[in-house]
Amino acid sequence: MSTENEGNEGTAAEAVPSVPPVPADAPQGSPGSTPAPAPAPEGEPATAATTPMASVPPTPSHAPHTPQTPHAPQTLHAPQSAAEANWPPPPPPAVPAYASHGADGGGPVWGAPSQPYAPEGPRKRGMGGLVAAVAVAALVAGGIGGAFGYWAADRNGSSGSTTVSASANQQDLKRDPGTVAGVAAKALPSVVTIDAQGGDGEGGTGTGFVYDKEGHILTNNHVVASAADSGQLTATFSNGKKYGAEVVGRAQGYDVAVLKLKNPPSGLTPLALGNSDQVAVGDSTIAIGAPFGLSNTVTTGIISAKNRPVASGDGSGGSNSYMSALQTDASINPGNSGGPLLDARGAVIGINSAIQSTGSSVGQTQAGSIGLGFAIPINQATNVAQQLIKTGKPVYPVIGATVTMDEKTGGAVISDQGAGGTPAVSKDGPADRAGLKAGDVITKFNDTVIDSGPTLIGEIWTHKPGDRVTLTYQRDGRTETAQVTLGERNGDN
């Protein structure tokens, strides 16, 4: 039920007299004609009768003493003509009868002396005439406006809205090569959506990109792991064409894999490779991939940080992936994995690999992007790819020491013993030759601060076997340094 007039239920009946007042100077009309309603006096409460087109309320049995609309003094009788009146007209009152009401509270409203018709004076137009004139003016104005609107629409040849079309000149639609649209248009034909289906029915969707003209595709290991042995791999280009693929080699620790198209098309265009060492925080980034299976999705952001230590697993096993990652706020979601992270020129600076999710550790989850994505630096990924294409197996640089995976130790602590009870420092290995021992805490790798074991591993894996590095460590409260030549480990086992 509507509450529009709630609280005014007893007002309408009280404010309306039993017989509508007729102005003394109003012209005579035909019997039964209804005078135009007059507006309420200023300061008086509004009633239901103010609603446009409202019907007259029911007549109350006793009309109260109520002020009337400012007209000439009112009467209960229709006005007499001057010829019918046999008495001389009295002089007009100094103050209209309604004016006394409210001043002393005793002036009559209904039953006030009737005013005779005064032919010698000009007849004043009542409020009803004014309202009618305003209504007519409004109708005329509305008619003019409507006629003008119809004329304007007819002139424009449209009966509805009028629109303006942009230029169809193709030159106006060209995107500058340096814009995001220009970079994306050039890169998309070299990006593929990878569908991996394992022999047990498990699988998923990821991304990869053309690495060379021979048909090699670079991607993440975790994208293809389920189909690496007995599954099926397909690569779909942005034009919708699909090609079968096979695994050339994969590296669990680096989270890098190389595929080869079985029947590669001619004219493949590899993506240009940038230099991830020259990337600066704040540089623009463009990510291309298939988040949640939505192929050919382009997102943008910046480099938020460099050398971010990331373990894509839980950091407790030998098969986890470690990287000194590029951090970006470009939107990256499951399905973007393996896709290229481009700079503003369109050169690949990283491989999108991991995301941070609220309430979970860094790694691959089904959560959405919160602006914390991580990419393997392309310089590291290129070294791994070349090794995989050459031998099919990864080669890892090592220091020959086992460190703990605790993340809040203030450094990388060399364990008391290695896997299976072996010595934590391999005999005659790089660390042993440099004089490192169990219990030493490595705090710097060259100029990079080391705060945990995963951080140390990520930094080591940005180098190659045979590289000479400087380790800073603490022993018994003293800070020492050592020169270490990195060794190597073949394969993931």
Side-chain angles (χ1 to χ4, degrees):
M1 180 178 70
S2 172
T3 59
E4 179 181 359
N5 293 316
E6 186 174 356
N8 296 325
E9 293 86 343
T11 306
E14 295 173 0
V16 180
S18 60
V19 179
V22 179
D25 60 350
Q28 294 184 6
S30 59
S33 62
T34 303
E42 182 177 357
E44 288 297 321
T47 68
T50 62
T51 305
M53 303 301 293
S55 60
V56 178
T59 303
S61 59
H62 299 285
H65 189 75
T66 308
Q68 294 305 307
T69 307
H71 287 299
Q74 308 296 315
T75 179
L76 289 174
H77 306 286
Q80 293 178 324
S81 66
E84 294 172 342
N86 296 320
W87 40 268
V95 180
Y98 66 81
S100 64
H101 180 72
D104 60 7
V109 175
W110 297 107
S114 62
Q115 298 300 315
Y117 182 76
E120 62 275 12
R123 299 176 60 184
K124 297 181 180 179
R125 177 171 296 183
M127 289 298 292
L130 177 60
V131 172
V134 172
V136 170
L139 290 173
V140 171
I144 294 174
F148 179 78
Y150 177 82
W151 174 82
D154 184 64
R155 292 278 293 179
N156 289 323
S158 172
S159 59
S161 62
T162 302
T163 60
V164 178
S165 298
S167 172
N169 190 342
Q170 292 299 317
Q171 292 182 352
D172 295 339
L173 301 178
K174 289 183 178 179
R175 270 65 176 183
D176 186 85
T179 64
V180 174
V183 170
K186 184 177 180 180
L188 277 168
S190 299
V191 179
V192 298
T193 299
I194 298 173
D195 182 53
Q197 296 297 327
D200 55 0
E202 294 185 2
T205 300
T207 309
F209 60 92
V210 178
Y211 179 71
D212 57 26
K213 295 183 178 181
E214 287 70 38
H216 289 108
I217 303 295
L218 196 55
T219 187
N220 283 142
N221 171 67
H222 73 263
V223 169
V224 302
S226 62
D229 297 327
S230 59
Q232 183 177 1
L233 292 166
T234 59
T236 304
F237 283 80
S238 60
N239 60 7
K241 294 184 177 180
K242 296 184 178 182
Y243 299 87
E246 57 186 1
V247 175
V248 172
R250 55 194 186 96
Q252 292 179 346
Y254 293 121
D255 197 17
V256 173
V258 176
L259 308 181
K260 177 73 180 296
L261 300 178
K262 293 180 179 179
N263 296 296
S266 60
L268 285 175
T269 303
L271 288 181
L273 304 180
N275 186 344
S276 53
D277 291 340
Q278 296 179 350
V279 170
V281 173
D283 282 351
S284 297
T285 58
I286 302 171
I288 302 179
F292 297 103
L294 300 174
S295 300
N296 309 316
T297 295
V298 178
T299 56
T300 64
I302 63 169
I303 293 293
S304 304
K306 294 179 62 176
N307 305 317
R308 188 68 80 189
V310 173
S312 65
D314 58 11
S316 62
S319 62
N320 292 314
S321 301
Y322 301 96
M323 67 186 88
S324 181
L326 298 175
Q327 180 182 327
T328 180
D329 66 348
S331 181
I332 296 175
N333 291 282
N336 276 106
S337 295
L341 183 68
L342 309 174
D343 62 15
R345 303 169 303 161
V348 182
I349 55 175
I351 300 177
N352 300 317
S353 182
I355 61 174
Q356 176 72 46
S357 173
T358 56
S360 68
S361 60
V362 175
Q364 299 300 322
T365 72
Q366 287 301 308
S369 172
I370 59 172
L372 293 172
F374 304 95
I376 303 168
I378 194 59
N379 289 9
Q380 175 182 334
T382 299
N383 293 336
V384 178
Q386 291 174 348
Q387 191 67 39
L388 292 175
I389 293 173
K390 182 179 180 180
T391 67
K393 294 182 179 180
V395 176
Y396 298 95
V398 296
I399 62 171
T402 301
V403 296
T404 64
M405 293 293 104
D406 296 334
E407 296 186 359
K408 297 182 179 180
T409 56
V413 181
I414 298 179
S415 304
D416 293 334
Q417 62 180 12
T422 60
V425 178
S426 301
K427 186 177 181 179
D428 295 328
D432 186 35
R433 291 194 294 268
L436 294 172
K437 298 180 180 180
D440 289 347
V441 181
I442 300 172
T443 58
K444 291 183 71 174
F445 183 93
N446 288 336
D447 293 329
T448 301
V449 175
I450 302 300
D451 59 5
S452 65
T455 302
L456 176 63
I457 296 173
E459 284 298 315
I460 292 173
W461 286 357
T462 63
H463 290 71
K464 297 178 181 179
D467 287 349
R468 189 171 180 84
V469 300
T470 300
L471 297 181
T472 302
Y473 63 96
Q474 293 181 348
R475 178 188 295 171
D476 299 329
R478 302 189 311 272
T479 299
E480 305 286 347
T481 60
Q483 301 296 313
V484 177
T485 301
L486 299 178
E488 69 176 49
R489 187 190 81 206
N490 292 305
D492 284 310
N493 298 324

